[in-house]
Amino acid sequence: MRGSALANLNSDAEVSMILVIGATGFLGSEICRRLAGSGQQVRALVRTTSDRARLDALRSAGVELATGDLTDRASLDAACVGVSTVISTASAAVSRQAGDSIDAVDGEGQLRLAETARAAGVEHFIYISFSGQIELDSPLRTAKRTMEDVLRRSGMAYTIFRPSYFMEVWLSPALGFDVGKGVVQVYGNGERRVSFMSLVDVAQFAVACVGNPRARNRTIELGGPEALSQLDVIRTFGELRGRPLETNVVPEEGLRAQHEAAADPMQKTFAALMLGYARGDAIDMKETLAEFPIRLTTVRDYALRTIGRSVVADAPAMREERGAAPA
C-alpha cells in the first residue's frame, strides 16, 4: 500500500503528534518520512550524539526533533507532551552507539518509555518486537517479551509487531552475506524456510496502524510474501549476478554450542538469533494482508536493489561469455 491508498486508510484519524523512538535508524527514519509525507505531525527523539546528516534529513522531511534518551526520564517526559501515539523501533541489537546495551535500551529503556507514555496520557503505543517463533533464551528475547507483557497491561491501546528476519540485516555483509565479494554464510543446513522481511515493509505496517482501530490491542506476526530457505536466496542472488556465490557453512551444532557457552548479553543474543535463523521462521501472511493490503518486498526485489540493475542487465552476457547455460 503506497501513497493515496495509505492516506485513505488513515483518513479518519485526527492529525495529532506522533513520537518516534529510534528515529535515526533505518526503520525509524523510514517511518518518520512516511508519516510526515502523509501530513502527520511527527516528533523524533534524537540524541546529542546522533549523526548530523540523519538529523538534517529528518528536519528536511518536516519532522520535529526532541533531544533525549531512553535512559533519561526527564527527556522522555518532555518528548511525550501532547503526544497521542508512540512508535518505538529502538533496539541495541540492530543499531547502537557507544555505551548502549540490550538491558539499557531494550530492557530498562523501553520499560521507562512505556511508563512515561502511560503517565503522559498517550493513547496508542506501537512497538516493534520480533517473531513469536524466536523463543530461544537470550537477553533480547527476555527484554522483548517483557515489554510486550507490560504494554498489554498498561491500559494504553497497543500494537505489537513481531517481524521475521530483516533482509537488510541478514542478507548483508554484516551477517556474512557479502554478495560484493561473492561469499555468503549459511547457518545450519540452509534448508529451513524463513519469511525474510524488508524494514521498509515494517515501516509501512507501522504507518498503516496509526489511527487505525483494527490495529488496536493486537499482536501481529509479520513476514515477507514468501518463505524461502537460505539456499533458495543464495540461488536467487547467484542467478541475478550471473555467477554462483561461494558458501561457508556454520553447522547447527556449532551454533548450539556458541549459544550455550555465550556469557556476554550481546553474544548470547546473536547466537540465539543465528540458531533460530538456522531452524527457520516461516510466517503465513494471508490473513494479515487481507486486513492490511500492503505490497510486500520480495527477496528478488531486494536482490535487484542490492546487486544493482546494471549488473543484473549484464548477467546474461556474462553467462554467455563463460559458456554457461542460462539459469
Side-chain angles (χ1 to χ4, degrees):
M1 179 180 300
R2 304 190 188 275
S4 59
L6 184 58
N8 290 338
L9 183 61
N10 291 331
S11 61
D12 293 334
E14 293 182 6
V15 177
S16 51
M17 185 61 73
I18 302 164
L19 175 64
V20 179
I21 312 296
T24 56
F26 183 96
L27 175 55
S29 62
E30 182 70 11
I31 290 172
C32 287
R33 186 184 67 79
R34 288 175 177 269
L35 286 171
S38 67
Q40 299 279 7
Q41 294 183 43
V42 187
R43 179 181 298 155
L45 186 72
V46 300
R47 295 192 272 191
T48 56
T49 53
S50 294
D51 181 80
R52 295 295 103 185
R54 296 185 182 187
L55 297 181
D56 290 342
L58 289 171
R59 289 192 190 95
S60 297
V63 176
E64 175 187 317
L65 303 187
T67 303
D69 193 283
L70 287 174
T71 64
D72 181 357
R73 173 61 189 258
S75 70
L76 295 179
D77 285 330
C80 284
V81 171
V83 168
S84 63
T85 302
V86 168
I87 304 176
S88 184
T89 72
S91 175
V94 177
S95 177
R96 63 184 182 275
Q97 296 185 21
D100 285 351
S101 67
I102 289 173
D103 184 55
V105 177
D106 300 87
E108 293 179 2
Q110 292 284 8
L111 296 178
R112 185 177 294 111
L113 174 63
E115 171 54 28
T116 305
R118 186 199 62 77
V122 168
E123 299 170 9
H124 189 192
F125 197 114
I126 299 173
Y127 176 59
I128 311 301
S129 185
F130 65 17
S131 173
Q133 297 179 140
I134 305 175
E135 287 297 281
L136 289 160
D137 176 55
S138 76
L140 184 64
R141 180 204 172 278
T142 298
K144 293 286 192 185
R145 303 301 181 232
T146 299
M147 180 63 173
E148 291 179 14
D149 291 341
V150 165
L151 288 176
R152 293 187 188 104
R153 300 193 307 267
S154 68
M156 295 181 286
Y158 64 85
T159 305
I160 297 167
F161 286 119
R162 288 176 159 185
S164 188
Y165 289 87
F166 296 140
M167 298 177 191
E168 292 85 355
V169 176
W170 290 84
L171 303 182
S172 76
L175 271 296
F177 199 92
D178 197 334
V179 177
K181 292 182 178 178
V183 181
V184 297
Q185 198 105 291
V186 175
Y187 297 91
N189 63 20
E191 296 175 356
R192 303 291 181 83
R193 296 186 304 148
V194 174
S195 293
F196 294 96
M197 186 170 197
S198 173
L199 286 159
V200 171
D201 296 339
V202 180
Q204 288 196 83
F205 274 104
V207 172
C209 287
V210 172
N212 187 340
R214 287 178 295 164
R216 297 198 166 211
N217 301 325
R218 298 275 301 276
T219 298
I220 303 173
E221 301 286 339
L222 294 179
E226 55 191 345
L228 301 174
S229 71
Q230 295 176 64
L231 298 180
D232 291 332
V233 172
I234 290 167
R235 280 191 287 269
T236 296
F237 273 82
E239 171 196 338
L240 294 176
R241 73 193 291 267
R243 53 194 185 279
L245 293 163
E246 179 184 338
T247 58
N248 292 325
V249 177
V250 182
E252 186 170 333
E253 55 267 28
L255 295 171
R256 203 161 42 241
Q258 183 179 343
H259 177 248
E260 291 170 359
D264 176 81
M266 198 65 73
Q267 291 176 354
K268 185 79 168 180
T269 288
F270 274 99
L273 291 173
M274 288 185 288
L275 188 52
Y277 186 58
R279 293 176 176 176
D281 186 37
I283 296 171
D284 187 347
M285 288 292 289
K286 289 187 182 68
E287 292 185 8
T288 301
L289 291 176
E291 271 195 286
F292 305 96
I294 288 169
R295 183 193 178 281
L296 297 175
T297 304
T298 67
V299 165
R300 190 178 183 87
D301 293 334
Y302 175 71
L304 285 166
R305 291 202 306 265
T306 303
I307 296 171
R309 295 187 181 277
S310 62
V311 174
V312 173
D314 289 339
M318 288 188 289
R319 287 196 293 266
E320 184 176 336
E321 186 179 63
R322 292 194 312 276

